[in-house]
Amino acid sequence: VGRAAAGAFVQPPADAAVGPSGRRSALATFGLVAAPAAAELLFESPAHAVPAWTGKYSDPSHPGCKRELSVSGTSVKIDGTDGSPGCDSGEAQTPWSLSAALRSADSDEVLIDFSPKGGPKDLVGKWDGSGIRFPDGNKWSKKQ
């Protein structure tokens, strides 16, 4: 073993606190430092919570009409109906289904392909804490 390598394995002085109590102390200190970070991960605040996209929504532009999202990974399927314009008063309803995608599993934005309904291909919907807000100001509110 070379002189430089031998220096890397020098034993600590006999009076140094590296015995079991020294290691326990170091680990305990680490635990006190790591605990707040772990608690933050376990009890994440709602402001940083992953949006719960899956569910039923209400659309004020089409009152009473179906708006239902299902998510698998980052793929989203939206099933709905349209009336004239609503579905509350026995209007004839036209069913439709759209594809959408999340940028990541914890994304707060969804890209919806409205082209089958004559709309834009990649319309961005943004989760606002209680529903999906669209660039035109419309909001689909999540039902409980």
Side-chain angles (χ1 to χ4, degrees):
V1 177
R3 182 172 228 118
F9 297 104
V10 173
Q11 292 291 324
D15 61 346
V18 291
S21 65
R23 283 188 215 118
R24 280 190 203 107
S25 176
L27 289 173
T29 301
F30 174 74
L32 292 174
V33 171
E40 189 175 321
L41 290 173
L42 289 173
F43 304 105
E44 193 170 299
S45 68
H48 297 101
V50 175
W53 295 100
T54 298
K56 297 178 180 182
Y57 294 79
S58 61
D59 177 355
S61 298
H62 299 275
C65 295
K66 178 181 178 179
R67 300 288 184 270
E68 189 166 355
L69 275 70
S70 55
V71 179
S72 177
T74 58
S75 297
V76 181
K77 181 180 178 192
I78 304 172
D79 292 311
T81 58
D82 286 342
S84 313
C87 301
D88 283 345
S89 304
E91 298 95 334
Q93 296 182 33
T94 305
W96 48 263
S97 187
L98 303 175
S99 298
L102 301 171
R103 295 178 199 267
S104 65
D106 62 349
S107 179
D108 66 350
E109 291 185 349
V110 61
L111 294 171
I112 305 172
D113 181 2
F114 274 98
S115 62
K117 292 180 47 100
K121 180 165 179 51
D122 289 318
L123 185 71
V124 176
K126 182 149 178 77
W127 183 258
D128 74 355
S130 61
I132 305 167
R133 179 137 337 252
F134 294 97
D136 67 357
N138 191 24
K139 177 182 175 179
W140 293 0
S141 296
K142 189 162 186 189
K143 296 179 178 180
Q144 296 303 331

